[in-house]
Amino acid sequence: MVPSERHPQNPASWSPNSTRTNKEIYNRHRATPNPAESVTFPKLAVTFAEIRILSLLRRPHVAFAMLAVMLTFGGAFAVFTYFRPFFETYTHADASELSFLLLGMGLAGFAGTYGASAVVNKRLYRLMMGMPVALAGVTLALLPAGHNLWTVAILVIVWGAINAAIPVAWSTWLSKAVRDKPESGGGLMVASIQLSIMLGAELGGALIDHFSIGAAFIGGVALMLFSAIIIGSGKRIQPDT
């Protein structure tokens, strides 16, 4: 029995009477490169970038700062994510009033960014501790004033200005506290903020599902106050000299 050329790579199909021609056919097929085997994949360069970024957490001031960052942004987004249902259920805002409130918050962000940039270098740590407290206070004030459209509009504008100033302060801290590894520090901060946004929104949603929008706001306030406690006078998040 002569082995079929369709299965030349199966030595078990050779009969004891395999001839030289059969072996030549087999060897010829073996010498033909298999397209699947000739495909080469680029080697992944192991840069250990993730390890380098996480190694920054060994520095106590960075670890405290990232915890404070996550609490601040997590608390803010536990509130911010659910502003619309708050406006619709507490303030009973219609579509145009809702657009007005959100537009005012957005425009206030420009003022908050500009104002923080003007004073952040002189009073960095006071701002970093004070802004979460101020944001928590405005959030609490929204609950009893939620039924008055104009009061809510003023509070929302203040809330938007403070919220926009917080990233300015943390960016300035990063440039001062992680000077030797700005890229790794920036990556760590971005990852911390993104994770905190997800967790904060999830916390707010869980509190709304089980309790109320007011509970979500109070939960966000608690996170922001914890952040202020961690920051304190700023010594915990200052690099060792």
Side-chain angles (χ1 to χ4, degrees):
M1 177 180 179
V2 178
S4 172
E5 288 194 23
R6 292 186 180 182
H7 305 282
Q9 298 182 13
N10 184 7
S13 65
W14 293 355
S15 66
N17 299 322
S18 296
T19 64
R20 179 183 179 88
T21 303
N22 296 334
K23 293 182 179 180
E24 288 177 352
I25 294 173
Y26 174 78
N27 292 333
R28 186 176 70 249
H29 281 276
R30 289 293 296 172
T32 304
N34 188 338
E37 294 177 354
S38 63
V39 175
T40 58
F41 296 93
K43 294 183 178 180
L44 298 178
V46 181
T47 62
F48 300 102
E50 295 84 357
I51 297 176
R52 289 202 302 270
I53 291 175
L54 294 177
S55 66
L56 289 176
L57 293 175
R58 296 178 181 177
R59 305 180 184 184
H61 73 287
V62 175
F64 279 116
M66 291 304 104
L67 178 59
V69 163
M70 294 189 68
L71 290 171
T72 299
F73 282 87
F77 274 84
V79 177
F80 174 78
T81 307
Y82 303 100
F83 264 145
R84 178 173 178 173
F86 174 81
F87 296 149
E88 292 175 341
T89 57
Y90 274 65
T91 313
H92 302 290
D94 57 27
S96 61
E97 292 169 342
L98 181 63
S99 300
F100 166 76
L101 291 171
L102 296 177
L103 176 62
M105 182 189 300
L107 293 177
F110 290 101
T113 301
Y114 178 80
S117 301
V119 299
V120 71
N121 288 318
K122 299 178 181 179
R123 301 174 181 177
L124 175 60
Y125 295 105
R126 289 184 181 180
L127 281 175
M128 294 177 71
M129 188 275 291
M131 286 189 294
V133 175
L135 200 63
V138 176
T139 302
L140 287 177
L142 281 168
L143 294 175
H147 300 290
N148 188 307
L149 176 63
W150 291 106
T151 304
V152 169
I154 294 172
L155 291 174
V156 163
I157 289 172
V158 176
W159 198 98
I162 298 172
N163 185 60
I166 291 175
V168 176
W170 279 109
S171 298
T172 304
W173 171 88
L174 183 66
S175 66
K176 295 177 180 294
V178 196
R179 292 181 179 180
D180 58 327
K181 294 184 178 180
E183 295 85 1
S184 297
L188 180 61
M189 179 169 288
V190 169
S192 300
I193 291 173
Q194 294 298 323
L195 178 60
S196 67
I197 289 173
M198 181 188 70
L199 295 177
E202 180 67 23
L203 172 64
L207 290 174
I208 289 176
D209 289 341
H210 292 86
F211 300 100
S212 65
I213 295 178
F217 279 28
I218 292 173
V221 165
L223 295 181
M224 290 184 274
L225 293 179
F226 279 131
S227 171
I229 292 172
I230 291 172
I231 295 170
S233 63
K235 292 183 178 180
R236 292 190 185 95
I237 60 175
Q238 292 181 26
D240 296 332
T241 56

